[in-house]
Amino acid sequence: MAADNLPSEFDVVILGTGLTESVLAAACSRVGQKVLHLDRRNYYAGNWASFTFNSLLSWIQEYKAQQEMPSTESDQAWVGKIEEGEDMLPLSSVDSSIINLEVFSYASEESEDEEVVTPSVANSFPKDSEAANEEPSGSSVEPQHSDSPGDRTQGAAEPPKQETEPSEACKNRQMPETQQSNQSEESDKQEQPITRPAEAPIELNKRITYAKLLKEGRRFNIDLVSKLLYSRGSLVDLLIKSNVSRYAEFKNVNRILICRDGRVKQVPCSRADVFGSKQLNVVEKRMLMKFLTFCLDFEQHPEEFQGFSEKPFWEFLKSQKLTENLQHFVLHSISMADQEILTEEGLKATQHFLQCLGRYGNTPFLFPLYGLGEIPQCFCRMCAVFGGIYCLRHSVQCLVVDKESGKCKAVIDTHGQRISCNHFVVEDSYIREEQRTKTSHRQISRAVVITDRSVLSYESDQQISLVTVPPLEFSSPAVRAVELSSSSMTCMPGTYLVHLTCPASGSAREDLAPVISNLFHVPNSSGEEPMQGSEETEKPLALWVMYFNMRDTSGLDSSCYSLPSNVHVCTGPDASLGCDYSIKLAESMFNQLLPDEEFCPPAPNPEDIIYDGDGAPGEGASFEETNHAERSGPEGEGQPQENGQPSSESSEPAESTDSVAPETNTESKVQISPTEE
């Protein structure tokens, strides 16, 4: 709908398309409310957005231009729209939620024609390098100029267009799979060492230049906020309940790592990982399994932690006679807590981690393909399907407040149109400083790094890893890093995308630069190679780094704003790893707006509504039957479907199945659906 031809009345007007606002818009639209959803930006998801590399460069340029431009807040243009008995409450037109933005490029400035071929590093695996060298250069999309930030995010009623390419998992399955023991094949194998060395050249890797990053820029999807989805967390439960999960696909996080004493190690968290770990001795394995078993039902044994209720979880771990190595594993990589968290909270966090294991894979976490910015768009799509109206590059200039009731009765948009509404929901960044009763807030330090290889090499180069870097000092926060491979559809093949996050104690560069220098080789100048034989050659090369601080207003509530009672403020992303805070905030606001309505009821599928007159379809398999069928089904085959019917929108990858088995192949995609629970 044209932005200058909007209806004049809505039940709910929502300003901002972040996760909380998008979930709330979908929930209101689903129960029949008339919703207008606006955003002053030209892309969806706000501070939850994902950008291609070229779009991110454009976004950076816009940010710098905004910082240099003086702020001009004028209210005079809208005074004529205010009637007798009304007040005007202006909103901010400047987004100050991101500060201290710094960008550094360390990739070679050579053109693609002058790219240098260098020997591969010692810890690279041959099959990964061969796969990278065999990829045709013409398969990429070459942008001739920087894309606008909104190129990826089209209308909410249409799904983001996804590139479909064979995954590495499919390629690996096509490799030779039989090794017979008959004598004829053994004789063939004996001949191979004679001919192979003459055919295979020395393994070489192409240096990744800045020109290559620009050329392959559309393959990147870089998130502004870095989070993962707990497999039994609030967001996954909501995706299943609302049936919004059919709009997206996910990939299991394969590894949980920890960096201690300059070395990156894998953390064993499941039973199989613990007993298969080579980092733990037999005694440590038994100690860890005994402690994790206790954490699963710690409420049944209060005597075990009775004296530590008001003491830090770290002290309780020491009392359990766990080795220092195990204490770090549990505190930083399993409970995901800091050293000041109380014992009972630490035990609950550990329990939640363990309960999430095995639902979709060998870790508790999922990551959405194409980046976290896809999730708000999925809820925007649901809102649009049920009649919500969307306008990007369109904002609200001021609120119209009734003097007698003290409530917001209308808004005036940037086109001068007056729009009546019963409720107004707004993102925190639109609120002016004089409308805040509490101006202090926290900051999140963020860094995005593009590297040439993983921090911990593995047989497959398609891993998604969560890395925890414990603090060097007791009072400092731990740094969390999410390393994404090209299988997550967030970076080009041959590179990794690493997101680092921690609560800010200074600028993002001050907080995270030491960690980046510890994990990666950071050249002194573009294209500089580490000295042969030095420890730096064993580290991944940092090709491009971006630092910034993001405002964290999750600690604020309605009492921190001087606003009408029917104006509801959505705070931005918090510093935690999961998305529970944002989902619970959306549900809490919905219950304030519509206390008698259900929050995000399931969206019906066509097969659930339209029948041929033969009666309703039979009931689906029970939970136990479904689990049995999923576990016994052969790997790689289609999953069982509810009622034996095909998906209503089978043309989309995410909607090709109605049920999902726990992931057994760590390189396969994951779809979550209402029949999972």
Side-chain angles (χ1 to χ4, degrees):
M1 180 174 292
D4 55 353
N5 191 28
L6 292 172
S8 58
E9 292 185 7
F10 287 89
D11 295 315
V12 183
V13 175
I14 300 178
L15 186 56
T17 52
L19 180 60
T20 304
E21 302 94 292
S22 299
V23 170
L24 188 58
C28 292
S29 179
R30 177 66 185 86
V31 297
Q33 296 291 296
K34 195 174 180 182
V35 177
L36 174 63
H37 204 172
L38 309 173
D39 201 317
R40 63 187 168 201
R41 308 170 181 91
N42 60 351
Y43 54 89
Y44 286 97
N47 284 347
W48 296 78
S50 302
F51 296 94
T52 66
F53 186 67
N54 308 84
S55 298
L56 183 62
L57 296 179
S58 298
W59 177 82
I60 292 170
Q61 292 300 322
E62 291 179 6
Y63 168 84
K64 292 181 178 178
Q66 177 181 295
Q67 296 299 109
E68 297 172 358
M69 186 183 303
S71 174
T72 56
E73 303 277 8
S74 175
D75 306 333
Q76 300 301 319
W78 318 109
V79 173
K81 301 286 182 179
I82 306 302
E83 300 174 358
E84 186 177 352
E86 297 175 343
D87 275 337
M88 179 182 67
L89 193 64
L91 298 180
S92 175
S93 61
V94 179
D95 184 1
S96 58
S97 60
I98 291 180
I99 58 174
N100 301 328
L101 178 61
E102 300 179 78
V103 178
F104 302 90
S105 177
Y106 301 106
S108 173
E109 299 291 343
E110 298 167 349
S111 65
E112 278 201 283
D113 296 336
E114 300 173 346
E115 281 183 355
V116 179
V117 178
T118 58
S120 64
V121 291
N123 57 354
S124 294
F125 288 84
K127 70 174 185 179
D128 298 338
S129 300
E130 289 168 11
N133 291 336
E134 288 172 4
E135 184 179 2
S137 59
S139 64
S140 63
V141 180
E142 180 177 0
Q144 298 298 327
H145 54 81
S146 295
D147 304 330
S148 67
D151 284 350
R152 287 187 59 258
T153 53
Q154 303 301 324
E158 295 190 13
K161 296 182 180 178
Q162 302 174 350
E163 300 174 11
T164 56
E165 297 182 3
S167 67
E168 289 295 326
C170 296
K171 293 178 184 177
N172 291 341
R173 293 192 194 103
Q174 296 171 4
M175 296 178 67
E177 54 183 320
T178 59
Q179 294 183 350
Q180 304 290 341
S181 59
N182 55 63
Q183 295 179 353
S184 60
E185 290 193 356
E186 288 179 358
S187 61
D188 292 339
K189 292 176 185 177
Q190 291 174 359
E191 294 176 1
Q192 289 178 359
I194 300 174
T195 57
R196 232 176 182 173
E199 295 175 358
I202 297 175
E203 186 183 332
L204 299 174
N205 283 334
K206 260 191 174 182
R207 177 190 295 176
I208 299 172
T209 64
Y210 188 72
K212 184 71 170 178
L213 295 178
L214 289 175
K215 180 179 179 181
E216 302 284 351
R218 290 181 182 268
R219 290 178 178 260
F220 288 88
N221 287 295
I222 302 173
D223 297 324
L224 289 183
V225 62
S226 175
K227 289 184 178 291
L228 298 175
L229 282 67
Y230 278 92
S231 64
R232 296 189 186 276
S234 300
L235 180 52
V236 169
D237 290 344
L238 181 62
L239 287 167
I240 292 173
K241 175 190 174 185
S242 63
N243 213 7
V244 172
S245 58
R246 57 183 167 172
Y247 297 141
E249 285 184 297
F250 303 85
K251 191 167 173 62
N252 183 244
V253 175
N254 312 91
R255 302 184 300 178
I256 296 179
L257 310 176
I258 189 170
C259 179
R260 288 192 64 224
D261 303 324
R263 296 181 58 193
V264 178
K265 306 175 183 178
Q266 185 162 353
V267 176
C269 44
S270 67
R271 181 183 296 271
D273 288 343
V274 170
F275 288 112
S277 175
K278 296 180 180 179
Q279 303 172 39
L280 306 179
N281 58 42
V282 176
V283 176
E284 285 182 315
K285 290 178 181 180
R286 291 175 178 172
M287 293 171 64
L288 182 57
M289 279 307 305
K290 181 180 178 181
F291 180 77
L292 296 181
T293 303
F294 157 73
C295 290
L296 274 173
D297 58 351
F298 74 93
E299 297 96 340
Q300 307 299 322
H301 309 282
E303 68 281 358
E304 294 286 336
F305 60 93
Q306 188 171 14
F308 293 88
S309 298
E310 301 299 324
K311 294 182 180 180
F313 187 42
W314 180 252
E315 292 187 15
F316 176 72
L317 293 177
K318 290 180 178 179
S319 72
Q320 297 298 299
K321 299 180 180 179
L322 298 175
T323 64
E324 186 177 356
N325 202 30
L326 295 181
Q327 291 173 27
H328 280 282
F329 281 0
V330 173
L331 180 67
H332 298 298
S333 298
I334 295 181
S335 69
M336 304 286 174
D338 56 44
Q339 294 181 339
E340 297 178 356
I341 190 172
L342 296 180
T343 297
E344 192 166 350
E345 294 177 9
L347 289 171
K348 287 180 180 178
T350 304
Q351 183 187 61
H352 180 56
F353 180 99
L354 297 172
Q355 290 172 342
C356 292
L357 285 172
R359 189 179 192 185
Y360 298 110
N362 62 334
T363 74
F365 304 110
L366 296 174
F367 180 80
L369 294 185
Y370 302 95
L372 192 66
E374 295 296 299
I375 303 302
Q377 290 186 72
C378 290
F379 285 99
C380 288
R381 174 188 278 187
M382 178 181 174
C383 176
V385 165
F386 288 95
I389 295 178
Y390 281 82
C391 292
L392 298 181
R393 297 180 293 274
H394 196 102
S395 186
V396 171
Q397 185 70 12
C398 68
L399 311 182
V400 179
V401 180
D402 182 70
K403 289 183 178 179
E404 183 177 350
S405 64
K407 292 187 175 182
C408 173
K409 60 187 297 187
V411 299
I412 298 177
D413 68 6
T414 46
H415 292 263
Q417 182 178 355
R418 179 174 171 136
I419 301 172
S420 300
C421 62
N422 297 326
H423 295 279
F424 181 69
V425 179
V426 59
E427 178 190 318
D428 175 85
S429 64
Y430 290 83
I431 303 299
R432 292 189 176 188
E433 290 301 319
E434 59 266 24
Q435 294 158 1
R436 303 175 187 268
T437 57
K438 181 180 179 181
T439 57
S440 61
H441 46 72
R442 297 168 293 193
Q443 294 282 345
I444 302 171
S445 288
R446 288 275 291 114
V448 179
V449 187
I450 300 175
T451 70
D452 64 344
R453 50 194 164 96
S454 174
V455 294
L456 183 62
S457 296
Y458 191 65
E459 295 171 354
S460 169
D461 62 351
Q462 298 304 310
Q463 302 291 308
I464 297 180
S465 306
L466 172 63
V467 188
T468 303
V469 183
L472 298 177
E473 300 178 3
F474 183 83
S475 58
S476 302
V479 175
R480 184 181 68 249
V482 177
E483 183 186 69
L484 305 171
S485 66
S486 59
S487 66
S488 66
M489 313 304 286
T490 59
C491 58
M492 60 177 273
T495 64
Y496 285 80
L497 186 64
V498 184
H499 292 276
L500 295 94
T501 308
C502 74
S505 55
S507 70
R509 188 180 178 188
E510 293 170 347
D511 291 340
L512 299 174
V515 177
I516 291 176
S517 298
N518 187 29
L519 290 174
F520 312 107
H521 168 62
V522 182
N524 294 321
S525 60
S526 298
E528 180 187 62
E529 296 287 340
M531 293 181 60
Q532 292 297 326
S534 67
E535 292 183 359
E536 293 296 304
T537 58
E538 299 178 1
K539 297 180 181 179
L541 174 64
L543 302 170
W544 188 86
V545 183
M546 177 176 71
Y547 299 98
F548 63 91
N549 288 100
M550 180 180 291
R551 179 186 295 170
D552 177 8
T553 53
S554 59
L556 306 182
D557 55 26
S558 58
S559 64
C560 299
Y561 303 94
S562 178
L563 296 168
S565 59
N566 63 337
V567 175
H568 310 271
V569 180
C570 293
T571 54
D574 64 330
S576 66
L577 178 62
C579 304
D580 287 2
Y581 169 79
S582 297
I583 302 304
K584 290 177 181 177
L585 177 61
E587 184 173 7
S588 172
M589 287 188 173
F590 178 83
N591 291 332
Q592 293 178 38
L593 269 61
L594 304 165
D596 299 326
E597 297 287 351
E598 181 184 358
F599 178 65
C600 277
N605 291 317
E607 62 265 26
D608 297 331
I609 302 173
I610 303 172
Y611 304 107
D612 295 328
D614 297 332
E619 293 184 1
S622 66
F623 177 73
E624 292 79 11
E625 292 170 347
T626 303
N627 275 353
H628 175 73
E630 290 170 350
R631 292 192 185 100
S632 61
E635 181 178 329
E637 293 186 5
Q639 305 296 342
Q641 296 178 356
E642 186 180 11
N643 303 333
Q645 298 180 353
S647 174
S648 61
E649 297 183 41
S650 58
S651 60
E652 295 187 24
E655 301 174 49
S656 60
T657 62
D658 280 343
S659 180
V660 177
E663 187 180 63
T664 54
N665 183 344
T666 58
E667 296 185 5
S668 62
K669 298 175 184 177
V670 174
Q671 291 104 20
I672 56 180
S673 72
T675 56
E676 182 60 37
E677 284 286 288

